[in-house]
Amino acid sequence: MGRKLKNVTVTMDEETARWARIEAAKRELSLSRFLGEVLRERMVDQNTYSRAMERYFSQEPRRHRRADQPLPTRDELHDRSGLR
């Protein structure tokens, strides 16, 4: 059995409404279904990001180099030759 759906009224400017109708048509969706999917994707992305941030900040701080290893020079930090 699927999720229970809730009807809502959405108010937006004409330019945004036109764009949304076109995007929905490209995907062969009703405007209502398109907006629901866009909002659901946004919710999932936000939840995923929040969980990742919580995992990162829950880790114990640790060194990324040995104590006897010198810090990189400014030139080493900003070297872009390998990217070209």
Side-chain angles (χ1 to χ4, degrees):
M1 186 172 187
R3 296 185 307 267
K4 184 175 180 187
L5 302 178
K6 176 77 175 158
N7 287 327
V8 297
T9 300
V10 178
T11 304
M12 63 187 86
D13 63 88
E14 184 55 40
E15 181 183 1
T16 303
R18 183 174 188 281
W19 175 87
R21 285 191 298 270
I22 291 168
E23 291 301 310
K26 287 178 185 176
R27 293 166 174 79
E28 298 181 354
L29 296 172
S30 68
L31 180 56
S32 178
R33 179 70 62 182
F34 171 71
L35 292 174
E37 287 185 9
V38 167
L39 291 171
R40 184 151 190 79
E41 288 170 11
R42 177 88 187 243
M43 180 185 72
V44 168
D45 289 348
Q46 184 176 353
N47 289 342
T48 301
Y49 179 82
S50 294
R51 284 193 308 272
M53 190 169 64
E54 286 173 14
R55 278 194 314 271
Y56 176 79
F57 285 115
S58 69
Q59 296 176 21
E60 288 294 319
R62 62 181 188 265
R63 291 186 179 266
H64 294 283
R65 61 183 176 84
R66 295 188 320 265
D68 63 338
Q69 184 179 16
L71 291 171
T73 66
R74 183 182 188 288
D75 290 337
E76 289 170 333
L77 288 174
H78 296 281
D79 178 31
R80 301 284 192 245
S81 62
L83 300 177
R84 294 182 184 147

